Amino acid sequence: MIAIENQAPVSENAIPKDASGGFVVPESNAFGQSFRDYEASVRLSIVENCYRLNHINQTYDFVKKTREEYAKLNKAKMSIWEAIELLDSFVDESDPDIDEPQIQHLLQSAEAIRKDYPNEDWLHLTALIHDLGKVLFHSKFGSLPQWAVTGDTHPVGCAFDESIVYHKYFKENPDYNNPTYNTKLGIYFEGCGLENVLMSWGHDDYMYMVAKGNGTTLPSAALFTIRYHSFYPLHTGGAYQYLMNEEDRENLKWVRTFNKYDLYSKSSVRIDVEKVKPYYESLIKKYFPEKLRW
């Protein structure tokens, strides 16, 4: 068993795998195109503009200030399911693969991973809540623009790796020419651990803070997955590995496993919310308090 303090254990036989049965990876996205195609997506102009603004505005100072503000967890008090319902009309402008409301993406991810890992309920719940930080767009949370909520994440405080999508727009970011931040390591050192690396601000880090700050009993692998599931330059591009420590490398296995279900479960075929809601409410009750500080 792997467990930390009051967190639930991950059973030893629950290892990341390439499941042969259950969820089948589709050949194309909801628009009949390749997944994560940032050159030919039917949503190209919307997606590219979101990343342009993200790369220009996500400076070290912006991230540090914004993270400190939202770490207070004083924006709202609500249940997990109430937060899910806030996303019923939210469409992610950074996503080239689907234009369905986020509540459907959450359920599609959760139901897909549930097929392949039926006994790992913590994974099902992780999938359900991984994007809940996108409530940042809502007026209750300050109506943050999508460039400060969605999209792939990357470290700030060091050089922007070439593997980051739409990298060209970083040239307009003030940190791009700042000698303190524009070297390979910047303000960090090799093996410092991702816990000590400031990531571009968005829904990943926010939901991580909400979960941890409210005393969830989800295992550390779940918290790591929530926090870094959008860190595509690392888990898919292989960049920034020199910042990781041993614990990061162990948890990264779960992020890569999760990514299959996060990315490839996106579909225009909708999940019946009321049918699956009782199951997920039971998991929420198991791993979270009834009301959370957000």
Side-chain angles (χ1 to χ4, degrees), residues 34-262:
S34 300
F35 285 91
R36 287 180 62 83
D37 188 336
Y38 291 96
E39 296 181 359
S41 171
V42 296
R43 307 188 73 223
L44 180 61
S45 61
I46 296 173
V47 173
E48 183 168 359
N49 187 57
C50 185
Y51 275 105
R52 180 181 68 83
L53 294 171
N54 175 288
H55 293 351
I56 293 172
N57 292 294
Q58 291 265 5
T59 63
Y60 181 86
D61 289 342
F62 165 79
V63 173
K64 189 173 185 294
K65 179 181 178 181
T66 306
R67 194 175 195 276
E68 288 172 352
E69 171 60 29
Y70 282 91
K72 298 173 184 176
L73 301 182
N74 62 359
K75 306 303 178 188
K77 189 157 189 175
M78 65 177 71
S79 68
I80 290 286
W81 201 267
E82 286 173 327
I84 290 173
E85 290 177 337
L86 284 183
L87 297 181
D88 192 32
S89 61
F90 179 75
V91 177
D92 189 333
E93 291 182 358
S94 73
D95 196 333
D97 296 318
I98 196 169
D99 57 3
E100 293 285 334
Q102 281 296 292
I103 189 171
Q104 282 299 314
H105 169 53
L106 298 178
L107 289 169
Q108 288 168 353
S109 300
E111 286 294 281
I113 207 165
R114 186 179 171 188
K115 290 180 179 179
D116 288 349
Y117 293 86
N119 299 319
E120 301 302 321
D121 64 2
W122 66 271
L123 263 180
H124 313 163
L125 185 57
T126 299
L128 182 73
I129 69 172
H130 77 281
D131 274 351
L132 272 194
K134 290 177 183 178
V135 295
L136 287 168
F137 90 98
H138 198 274
S139 58
K140 287 178 179 285
F141 300 86
S143 302
L144 291 188
Q146 289 227 19
W147 60 261
V149 178
T150 66
D152 294 0
T153 58
H154 58 269
V156 293
C158 61
F160 304 117
D161 192 83
E162 291 284 345
S163 65
I164 302 172
V165 295
Y166 297 118
H167 183 274
K168 61 184 179 182
Y169 293 118
F170 282 121
K171 292 180 180 179
E172 299 179 62
N173 185 305
D175 291 354
Y176 187 82
N177 293 310
N178 186 328
T180 302
Y181 302 136
N182 66 3
T183 61
K184 177 182 175 179
L185 290 174
I187 62 173
Y188 309 113
F189 59 88
E190 288 199 24
C192 63
L194 296 182
E195 171 68 28
N196 298 304
V197 174
L198 200 61
M199 299 293 293
S200 55
W201 176 251
H203 68 281
D204 303 57
D205 203 19
Y206 182 54
M207 189 57 211
Y208 163 78
M209 290 195 300
V210 169
K212 189 173 182 179
N214 283 277
T216 182
T217 55
L218 284 170
S220 60
L223 293 175
F224 189 91
T225 298
I226 291 168
R227 193 176 193 181
Y228 300 111
H229 72 270
S230 297
F231 193 2
Y232 274 84
L234 171 66
H235 66 65
T236 300
Y240 299 108
Q241 293 187 44
Y242 46 84
L243 297 175
M244 299 169 65
N245 59 26
E246 202 54 45
E247 184 179 359
D248 295 332
R249 293 187 183 91
E250 187 64 30
N251 282 325
L252 183 61
K253 299 173 185 176
W254 283 109
V255 177
R256 286 174 169 157
T257 294
F258 173 79
N259 179 248
K260 167 185 172 182
Y261 305 93
D262 182 19

Side-chain angles (χ1 to χ4, degrees), residues 23-37 97 260 263-267:
F23 177 67
V24 178
V25 175
E27 295 182 357
S28 58
N29 65 16
F31 306 116
Q33 298 176 310
S34 300
F35 285 91
R36 287 180 62 83
D37 188 336
D97 296 318
K260 167 185 172 182
L263 177 59
Y264 296 115
S265 67
K266 296 172 185 176
S267 169

